[in-house]
């Protein structure tokens, strides 16, 4: 699980783990990775502490040779875990239980403060390098065009001397 968390955080900028107990006679503590696209944690602005977590996922249920996709949403607070299903544009509560953990059981692991994956940082840097190269090439091209344009101009010897001393032009004979 540790490797999966690290890989997801590296790719997507963050990763989530859900703590839960099994529905057995003797419940067991379990952890599972939740895809970053399926989870969100709202943090309190003043303290930075988690206020609530949300997980949304799909489940395919097959009945009578027919497959149906059911959309689920769970809302996690320190006190309650509330489950919903989404039917069209309607959200229907299906269950609410006390949270035995006393804290939000959805845990976020951030790759960095901005929640940016390493590949996204490389892509951003690549774009910046491409932009700088384009600017450099444009300026170089403009300068080269100006030099070529000046080489076709018939200037007096005095004018060429002024351009040479100022570093704008090179000697006509070279």
């Amino acid at each position: 699980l540790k490797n999966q968390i690290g890989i997801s955080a590296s790719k997507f900028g963050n990763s989530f783990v859900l703590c839960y107990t099994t529905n057995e006679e003797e419940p067991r503590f379990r952890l599972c990775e939740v895809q970053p696209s399926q989870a969100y944690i709202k943090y309190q602005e003043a303290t930075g502490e988690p206020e609530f977590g949300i997980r949304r996922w799909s489940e395919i249920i097959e009945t009578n040779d027919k497959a149906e996709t059911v959309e689920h949403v769970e809302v996690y607070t320190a006190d309650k875990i509330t489950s919903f299903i989404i039917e069209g544009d309607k959200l229907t509560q299906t269950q609410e239980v006390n949270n035995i953990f006393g804290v939000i059981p959805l845990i976020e692991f951030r790759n960095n403060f901005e929640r940016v994956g390493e590949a996204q940082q490389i892509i951003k840097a690549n774009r910046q390098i491409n932009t700088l190269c384009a600017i450099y090439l444009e300026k170089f091209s403009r300068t080269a065009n100006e030099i070529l344009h000046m080489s076709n101009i018939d200037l007096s010897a005095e004018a060429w001397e002024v351009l040479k001393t100022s570093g704008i032009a090179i000697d006509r004979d070279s």
Side-chain angles (χ1 to χ4, degrees):
L1 186 63
K2 284 191 309 187
N3 288 342
Q4 292 170 324
I5 295 167
I7 290 169
S8 287
S10 178
K11 279 184 183 177
F12 304 110
N14 62 349
S15 184
F16 293 90
V17 170
L18 179 65
C19 306
Y20 67 98
T21 57
T22 60
N23 291 331
E24 300 169 345
E25 196 172 306
E26 286 188 41
R28 295 183 192 182
F29 176 76
R30 295 281 187 244
L31 299 172
C32 72
E33 181 188 16
V34 176
Q35 292 299 314
S37 61
Q38 297 177 337
Y40 173 77
I41 294 179
K42 165 73 168 82
Y43 294 92
Q44 296 175 2
E45 286 188 36
T47 64
E49 292 295 314
E51 194 172 329
F52 63 87
I54 297 175
R55 177 179 171 225
R56 179 179 177 167
W57 79 101
S58 300
E59 176 183 30
I60 297 174
I61 298 174
E62 294 185 29
T63 54
N64 300 332
D65 298 329
K66 183 180 174 187
E68 182 182 351
T69 302
V70 178
E71 296 284 328
H72 297 272
V73 175
E74 286 183 338
V75 178
Y76 309 102
T77 66
D79 303 326
K80 303 270 183 203
I81 299 172
T82 309
S83 301
F84 300 89
I85 58 169
I86 301 172
E87 298 172 303
D89 59 354
K90 185 180 174 188
L91 190 65
T92 305
Q93 183 176 335
T94 57
Q95 183 179 27
E96 183 172 83
V97 295
N98 290 329
N99 180 354
I100 63 167
F101 297 108
V103 294
I104 296 170
L106 187 63
I107 302 165
E108 180 180 25
F109 296 89
R110 294 182 187 177
N111 191 45
N112 49 48
F113 183 74
E114 296 85 15
R115 296 180 180 111
V116 177
E118 291 165 13
Q120 293 166 314
Q121 291 173 350
I122 292 169
I123 290 168
K124 182 179 177 183
N126 221 357
R127 285 185 185 137
Q128 290 172 334
I129 289 168
N130 288 341
T131 301
L132 289 173
C133 287
I135 292 168
Y136 173 77
L137 288 173
E138 179 188 340
K139 290 187 182 291
F140 179 77
S141 175
R142 191 178 311 146
T143 303
N145 286 338
E146 289 169 358
I147 291 171
L148 289 173
H149 182 69
M150 283 195 299
S151 66
N152 292 329
I153 297 175
D154 189 26
L155 295 175
S156 67
E158 291 170 21
W160 271 109
E161 195 59 38
V162 170
L163 291 175
K164 279 176 26 184
T165 31
S166 62
I168 295 174
I170 55 172
D171 195 343
R172 284 193 225 194
D173 301 324
S174 32

